[in-house]
Amino acid sequence: MKMGMRRAAVGLFAVAAIAGSSPAFAWSQTHYGAKAWTEQSDTVMNIRDLEADGNSVKAEYYRNAHPADKLTLWNKGGAEGPADNDGNPGTVESGKHSTIFRAQACEVRNNLPDHCGGMESF
């Protein structure tokens, strides 16, 4: 009987731990060599370069504090560039500010239109 109670307690603890944990990110988009995602309840934007092809990447996004202003987070360091605060290599991270509600990931191409994943609201 003790073993059954112990298993039940371990199971309840595991369910509580999973339910109480927050996701690593809330929104994500990968397009060509760019991966953008939000974290910390959509208050931090990240942009990662996935390809060592010489093209910069950027995240374009909107925040609640200034909903008419499109913001751009650039990553010109490449796939082997410095890591963000979470240790993701080749990633640039914004500061924590008001909630982000719309965004897209783009690979920048010189003298050609940028490849963007399409502006998504969330």
Side-chain angles (χ1 to χ4, degrees), residues 88-105:
N88 298 306
T91 303
V92 174
E93 183 175 272
S94 76
K96 183 176 181 180
H97 301 288
S98 69
T99 303
I100 298 163
F101 66 91
R102 203 166 169 220
Q104 70 180 354

Side-chain angles (χ1 to χ4, degrees), residues 34-97:
K35 178 179 181 182
W37 71 94
T38 61
E39 58 187 18
Q40 298 187 30
S41 301
D42 295 330
T43 60
V44 174
M45 176 60 71
N46 293 271
I47 183 70
R48 182 175 186 177
D49 193 340
L50 300 174
E51 300 174 349
D53 60 4
N55 292 330
S56 297
V57 295
K58 65 181 177 180
E60 297 179 330
Y61 60 102
Y62 294 86
R63 291 186 181 271
N64 283 339
H66 302 280
D69 297 336
K70 180 169 65 172
L71 304 171
T72 304
L73 181 64
W74 289 93
N75 182 342
K76 298 179 180 182
E80 285 83 36
D84 67 357
N85 295 335
D86 301 319
N88 298 306
T91 303
V92 174
E93 183 175 272
S94 76
K96 183 176 181 180
H97 301 288

